[in-house]
Each structure stands twice: as structure tokens, then as C-alpha cells.
Amino acid sequence: QVQLVESGGGLVQAGGSLRLSCAASGRIFSSVHMGWFRQAPGKEREFVAAISRSGGSAYYADSMKARFTISRDNAKNTMYLQMDNLKPEDTAVYYCGAKYGTMPRAGSQVEYWGQGTQVTVSS
């Protein structure tokens, strides 16, 4: 069992930055691949980025790879998402998810979810 808690969301102006955190409980954090997803009002949850168990591999949605950076610190049981040059269209609830076996590429593959953190980007 993995319990996940996101933090770091908030209100920011366009062009600004935020760093989201996802803290995991349990002693198996280094055994799971992790990912960030987001869901805007009226839209489906979409993939943002994923990172391997060790942190050695990561990949991103094409529209975000130039502005977002995913990382993790297994010693702290925490994953991060650094978001730079934020745009109003980045406004959404951001969720972290965990998955055994392979890195998550879609929400349907995630086995454990956090409760989400709201990010609002004003123009």
C-alpha cells in the first residue's frame, strides 16, 4: 500500500513558477514508478510526466517537456514537479500516482492516487 499526499499548489501569475511535491508513506517508495497527471474543469485527466523507481528515467507529455521537470528523492520518499513559465492553460488539479512494474503513461495504469493539489494560473 502506498499513500500519497500532494502539496505546493496555489495561485500564480502567467510566467511564474511552482514546485509541487508528492510525499509517500510506506517503505516501498523506491519500488514504485511515479507520475504526475492533471485534470482541468470539464476535461479528462491527462498525463504530465513520469519518473522511474530510481529516478534515472523520465518522460513528459510533449506540451510540457520544455517547461516542467519531474524528479524524486527516494531518501525523502518524495517526488517533485518543477513547473516554470506557467500558462493559464496549466490551470488544473494536479495528481500524483504510483505504479509497480512500468512507468505510468495513462491514468488507467495508476494503482495509487493522491488527493490532488489545485494550481491556478492567472493571465
Side-chain angles (χ1 to χ4, degrees):
Q1 186 81 13
V2 179
Q3 294 180 326
L4 305 172
V5 179
E6 301 95 335
S7 62
L11 174 64
V12 63
Q13 289 188 334
S17 298
L18 281 175
R19 188 175 82 154
L20 306 183
S21 298
C22 173
S25 64
R27 293 177 288 180
I28 57 173
F29 182 70
S30 61
S31 300
V32 292
H33 304 287
M34 299 291 296
W36 287 100
F37 295 78
R38 70 184 187 183
Q39 187 166 18
K43 296 188 177 181
E44 294 186 354
R45 192 169 298 190
E46 66 172 339
F47 169 77
V48 174
I51 190 165
S52 63
R53 293 174 298 181
S54 67
S57 298
Y59 63 90
Y60 300 84
D62 287 343
S63 62
M64 295 165 234
K65 65 173 60 177
R67 300 183 295 119
F68 292 3
T69 303
I70 190 171
S71 62
R72 66 190 293 167
D73 185 339
N74 285 351
K76 296 182 178 179
N77 281 7
T78 303
M79 176 181 66
Y80 305 97
L81 184 69
Q82 176 68 40
M83 305 186 293
D84 297 319
N85 190 24
L86 283 161
K87 304 176 181 181
E89 52 263 42
D90 294 318
T91 295
V93 178
Y94 284 71
Y95 299 89
C96 65
K99 181 185 181 299
Y100 289 100
T102 58
M103 287 193 281
R105 295 178 178 267
S108 59
Q109 299 172 341
V110 171
E111 298 175 61
Y112 303 98
W113 287 106
Q115 84 290 348
T117 185
Q118 176 71 47
V119 171
T120 303
V121 185
S122 63
S123 57

